[in-house]
Amino acid sequence: MLKSRNLIQPEDFSIEEIDEILNLAEDIMKDPSAYSRVCEGKLMATLFYEPSTRTRLSFEAAMKRLGGEIIGFSEPNSSSVSKGESLGDTIRVVSGYVDLIVMRHPIAGAANEAIQYTTVPFINAGDGGNQHPTQTLTDLLTIKSLKGTLHNHTIGLCGDLKYGRTVHSLVKAMNRYEDNKFVFIAPEELKMPEYVKEGIKNYSYCETTHLDEALSNLDLLYMTRVQGERFSNKDEYERLKDTYILDKEKMKNAKEDMLVLHPLPRVNEISTDIDNDDRAVYFKQAVYGMYVRMALIIKLLGVDIKK
Ligand code: CP
């Protein structure tokens, strides 16, 4: 039963519950108009303490496409946060106004703090370098829809595996399905944290600094941006930011059916010269994000979806 639950990290939901959300998202994609009024009378808050394009706008589009309404802020300085209001007080107050809260925050662990105060379902839309579970739902829907299964993939994750919260959440999620293997491709300074690797079933992962060597074995390649905003040393960011650039030449070594995913925004790590390659699915992935968030909103609100 997903009604009234919070989502802080992918493991908060069982595989069966995630399947329920993905199945509903696929159903919505087939017939969006059948869902256009199911959230009439419902109000959702989007509290974004950190910049966002896809997550905030896809949540807001999702709620509007379900017939619901939204309030919130995309710039904390336009709220009483600028006067020093605590996170707890903000969440307590907003809980009294809405049916559902979506929050992004720059501090890892802020979502866990927020759920101490909420009285309505709460969704973590990214907390610092920690977790981004709705990006993971987006990624799972993309993989399931385009590959047909969430099992038995060799998944390369490339770029900033230290600060990239999307890869932490995705590894935890894909690790729950059968026979997935991970190839972590990162410079020494940006390696996957131990706490993520420790949880991987049967130690079915390897690590390399070489994208070229890893590419030909992959079924999925998840590229990530080096997260400049999380570096205290800007010179180090400048040195590392262009370590990996996926381009047309490199794609010649990839399988014919390998998919390239990226949570976006992209900076330099994927050359625009592969945007029209059928294997480059990152813009499709952003669209899946809206549908999966529609399904998540319906489930957490427990709305009646008799069609
Ligand atoms: N993928 C993602 O979280 O994008 P935004 O930062 O634009 O929301």
Side-chain angles (χ1 to χ4, degrees):
M1 181 74 163
L2 286 162
K3 184 179 176 189
S4 303
R5 298 261 294 276
N6 301 317
L7 176 59
I8 305 299
Q9 56 180 349
E11 298 102 307
D12 291 343
F13 296 167
S14 66
I15 292 193
E16 293 74 23
E17 288 167 338
I18 287 178
D19 281 347
E20 255 184 68
I21 294 167
L22 301 183
N23 291 340
L24 177 58
E26 288 183 321
D27 205 45
I28 297 170
M29 285 194 285
K30 282 185 210 134
D31 187 7
S33 63
Y35 294 86
S36 62
R37 300 179 68 169
V38 298
C39 284
E40 266 180 0
K42 298 290 183 187
L43 188 56
M44 179 179 81
T46 50
L47 310 181
F48 276 64
Y49 292 79
E50 193 184 58
S52 166
T53 297
R54 277 144 294 275
T55 311
R56 184 172 68 82
L57 296 182
S58 66
F59 260 117
E60 294 184 356
M63 190 49 153
K64 284 175 179 273
R65 285 180 182 276
L66 295 169
E69 305 273 351
I70 52 151
I71 59 169
F73 53 78
S74 55
E75 168 49 64
N77 289 332
S78 67
S79 75
S80 286
V81 172
S82 63
K83 301 175 201 158
E85 184 167 54
S86 70
L87 178 62
D89 284 359
T90 303
I91 297 296
R92 219 187 270 265
V93 169
V94 175
S95 284
Y97 300 153
V98 300
D99 303 293
L100 175 67
I101 296 176
V102 178
M103 184 187 85
R104 171 172 287 187
H105 201 284
I107 298 175
N112 273 308
E113 187 188 339
I115 57 169
Q116 312 302 317
Y117 301 96
T118 187
T119 55
V120 296
F122 176 95
I123 300 171
N124 176 14
D127 62 325
N130 189 31
Q131 297 287 325
H132 192 352
T134 65
Q135 180 63 49
T136 303
L137 290 175
T138 300
D139 302 337
L140 295 181
L141 181 62
T142 307
I143 296 167
K144 182 167 182 263
S145 299
L146 300 179
K147 281 284 191 188
T149 178
L150 291 168
H151 303 284
N152 200 21
H153 298 300
T154 300
I155 307 157
L157 298 109
C158 177
D160 184 349
L161 307 188
K162 177 179 178 185
Y163 296 115
R165 57 193 170 201
T166 61
V167 290
H168 304 160
S169 292
L170 182 60
V171 170
K172 281 172 168 238
M174 290 301 281
N175 183 46
R176 297 166 87 190
Y177 296 90
E178 296 304 316
D179 299 322
N180 287 321
K181 297 180 209 64
F182 303 96
V183 182
F184 300 136
I185 307 155
E188 284 299 321
E189 296 86 342
L190 299 176
K191 283 172 74 174
M192 186 63 87
E194 288 301 321
Y195 83 91
V196 179
K197 292 187 288 194
E198 277 164 12
I200 295 175
K201 279 194 285 209
N202 306 322
Y203 302 97
S204 46
Y205 69 88
C206 61
E207 296 183 279
T208 177
T209 53
H210 297 287
L211 174 59
D212 289 347
E213 289 172 14
L215 203 53
S216 62
N217 290 322
L218 305 178
D219 302 311
L220 299 162
L221 173 59
Y222 198 93
M223 293 295 294
T224 62
R225 166 180 75 91
V226 176
Q227 310 259 311
E229 66 276 32
R230 312 218 188 277
F231 280 69
S232 49
N233 180 341
K234 292 298 164 197
D235 291 339
E236 184 170 61
Y237 168 68
E238 288 299 323
R239 183 167 58 77
L240 295 172
K241 68 181 168 80
D242 292 331
T243 307
Y244 304 108
I245 299 177
L246 184 67
D247 58 15
K248 215 172 192 164
E249 197 51 37
K250 288 196 178 67
M251 284 296 283
K252 287 181 185 162
N253 296 323
K255 290 182 185 173
E256 289 286 300
D257 62 349
M258 185 194 79
L259 297 183
V260 182
L261 288 86
H262 190 308
L264 303 179
R266 144 177 78 181
V267 185
N268 279 333
E269 59 281 356
I270 299 182
S271 166
T272 54
D273 72 9
I274 69 158
D275 286 355
N276 294 327
D277 187 315
D278 287 342
R279 297 170 290 181
V281 297
Y282 28 88
F283 292 117
K284 272 188 197 162
Q285 187 182 351
V287 178
Y288 284 120
M290 181 184 70
Y291 288 111
V292 90
R293 289 177 175 110
M294 288 171 81
L296 179 64
I297 291 168
I298 288 173
K299 290 288 181 186
L300 297 192
L301 291 178
V303 298
D304 190 358
I305 52 168
K306 273 199 301 286
K307 294 198 282 166

mmCIF file of all heavy atoms in Angstrom, residues 5 67 85 94 103 132 160 174 217-218 235 301 304:
data_model
loop_
_atom_site.group_PDB
_atom_site.id
_atom_site.type_symbol
_atom_site.label_atom_id
_atom_site.label_comp_id
_atom_site.label_asym_id
_atom_site.label_seq_id
_atom_site.Cartn_x
_atom_site.Cartn_y
_atom_site.Cartn_z
ATOM 1 N N ARG A 5 2.628 7.255 2.006
ATOM 2 C CA ARG A 5 4.031 6.928 2.324
ATOM 3 C C ARG A 5 4.953 8.086 1.900
ATOM 4 O O ARG A 5 4.597 8.934 1.094
ATOM 5 C CB ARG A 5 4.426 5.650 1.573
ATOM 6 C CG ARG A 5 3.594 4.432 1.983
ATOM 7 C CD ARG A 5 4.311 3.565 2.983
ATOM 8 N NE ARG A 5 5.483 2.953 2.389
ATOM 9 C CZ ARG A 5 5.455 1.816 1.668
ATOM 10 N NH1 ARG A 5 4.314 1.179 1.454
ATOM 11 N NH2 ARG A 5 6.570 1.316 1.187
ATOM 12 N N GLY A 67 -4.720 17.009 -13.270
ATOM 13 C CA GLY A 67 -5.852 17.858 -12.866
ATOM 14 C C GLY A 67 -5.669 18.515 -11.513
ATOM 15 O O GLY A 67 -6.568 19.193 -11.015
ATOM 16 N N GLU A 85 14.145 31.006 8.660
ATOM 17 C CA GLU A 85 13.210 29.965 9.109
ATOM 18 C C GLU A 85 13.850 28.580 8.942
ATOM 19 O O GLU A 85 14.500 28.299 7.932
ATOM 20 C CB GLU A 85 11.902 30.026 8.305
ATOM 21 C CG GLU A 85 10.880 29.026 8.826
ATOM 22 C CD GLU A 85 9.474 29.263 8.282
ATOM 23 O OE1 GLU A 85 9.316 29.316 7.049
ATOM 24 O OE2 GLU A 85 8.552 29.386 9.100
ATOM 25 N N VAL A 94 3.969 24.097 5.689
ATOM 26 C CA VAL A 94 3.492 23.738 4.344
ATOM 27 C C VAL A 94 2.617 22.486 4.404
ATOM 28 O O VAL A 94 1.632 22.364 3.662
ATOM 29 C CB VAL A 94 4.693 23.561 3.361
ATOM 30 C CG1 VAL A 94 4.206 23.076 1.996
ATOM 31 C CG2 VAL A 94 5.450 24.868 3.213
ATOM 32 N N MET A 103 10.453 17.964 -2.200
ATOM 33 C CA MET A 103 11.519 18.894 -1.791
ATOM 34 C C MET A 103 12.874 18.496 -2.362
ATOM 35 O O MET A 103 13.239 17.324 -2.346
ATOM 36 C CB MET A 103 11.635 18.919 -0.261
ATOM 37 C CG MET A 103 12.667 19.953 0.228
ATOM 38 S SD MET A 103 12.980 19.853 2.013
ATOM 39 C CE MET A 103 14.234 18.575 2.087
ATOM 40 N N HIS A 132 18.470 10.455 -5.013
ATOM 41 C CA HIS A 132 17.545 11.138 -5.937
ATOM 42 C C HIS A 132 16.577 10.056 -6.438
ATOM 43 O O HIS A 132 16.637 9.630 -7.581
ATOM 44 C CB HIS A 132 18.344 11.760 -7.077
ATOM 45 C CG HIS A 132 17.574 12.715 -7.943
ATOM 46 N ND1 HIS A 132 16.208 12.901 -7.849
ATOM 47 C CD2 HIS A 132 18.005 13.547 -8.934
ATOM 48 C CE1 HIS A 132 15.830 13.801 -8.751
ATOM 49 N NE2 HIS A 132 16.910 14.205 -9.413
ATOM 50 N N ASP A 160 31.204 11.299 -12.502
ATOM 51 C CA ASP A 160 31.338 11.679 -11.097
ATOM 52 C C ASP A 160 30.524 10.731 -10.237
ATOM 53 O O ASP A 160 29.358 10.966 -9.933
ATOM 54 C CB ASP A 160 30.840 13.119 -10.932
ATOM 55 C CG ASP A 160 31.039 13.639 -9.528
ATOM 56 O OD1 ASP A 160 31.361 12.832 -8.631
ATOM 57 O OD2 ASP A 160 30.862 14.855 -9.331
ATOM 58 N N MET A 174 19.043 -1.082 -9.006
ATOM 59 C CA MET A 174 19.291 -2.171 -9.965
ATOM 60 C C MET A 174 19.894 -3.396 -9.282
ATOM 61 O O MET A 174 19.751 -4.520 -9.753
ATOM 62 C CB MET A 174 20.207 -1.695 -11.101
ATOM 63 C CG MET A 174 19.561 -0.714 -12.057
ATOM 64 S SD MET A 174 18.071 -1.355 -12.881
ATOM 65 C CE MET A 174 18.771 -2.378 -14.168
ATOM 66 N N ASN A 217 31.537 -3.895 -23.636
ATOM 67 C CA ASN A 217 30.821 -4.938 -22.876
ATOM 68 C C ASN A 217 29.480 -4.487 -22.324
ATOM 69 O O ASN A 217 28.764 -5.274 -21.719
ATOM 70 C CB ASN A 217 31.669 -5.377 -21.670
ATOM 71 C CG ASN A 217 32.874 -6.150 -22.125
ATOM 72 O OD1 ASN A 217 32.785 -6.934 -23.069
ATOM 73 N ND2 ASN A 217 33.994 -5.896 -21.491
ATOM 74 N N LEU A 218 29.161 -3.219 -22.487
ATOM 75 C CA LEU A 218 28.015 -2.665 -21.752
ATOM 76 C C LEU A 218 26.694 -2.813 -22.496
ATOM 77 O O LEU A 218 26.623 -2.666 -23.718
ATOM 78 C CB LEU A 218 28.252 -1.171 -21.477
ATOM 79 C CG LEU A 218 29.544 -0.810 -20.744
ATOM 80 C CD1 LEU A 218 29.649 0.705 -20.585
ATOM 81 C CD2 LEU A 218 29.617 -1.503 -19.381
ATOM 82 N N ASP A 235 39.898 24.283 -8.592
ATOM 83 C CA ASP A 235 40.955 23.855 -9.524
ATOM 84 C C ASP A 235 40.822 22.368 -9.818
ATOM 85 O O ASP A 235 41.027 21.909 -10.943
ATOM 86 C CB ASP A 235 42.349 24.122 -8.939
ATOM 87 C CG ASP A 235 42.628 25.614 -8.865
ATOM 88 O OD1 ASP A 235 41.953 26.360 -9.600
ATOM 89 O OD2 ASP A 235 43.481 26.013 -8.058
ATOM 90 N N LEU A 301 -0.948 9.656 -3.123
ATOM 91 C CA LEU A 301 -2.202 10.301 -2.708
ATOM 92 C C LEU A 301 -3.331 9.281 -2.554
ATOM 93 O O LEU A 301 -4.359 9.592 -1.973
ATOM 94 C CB LEU A 301 -2.615 11.376 -3.725
ATOM 95 C CG LEU A 301 -1.715 12.629 -3.766
ATOM 96 C CD1 LEU A 301 -2.202 13.591 -4.843
ATOM 97 C CD2 LEU A 301 -1.690 13.333 -2.409
ATOM 98 N N ASP A 304 -8.428 7.645 -6.476
ATOM 99 C CA ASP A 304 -9.220 6.640 -7.182
ATOM 100 C C ASP A 304 -8.934 6.769 -8.674
ATOM 101 O O ASP A 304 -9.083 7.861 -9.248
ATOM 102 C CB ASP A 304 -10.700 6.923 -6.889
ATOM 103 C CG ASP A 304 -11.592 5.808 -7.378
ATOM 104 O OD1 ASP A 304 -11.056 4.855 -7.963
ATOM 105 O OD2 ASP A 304 -12.803 5.916 -7.169
#
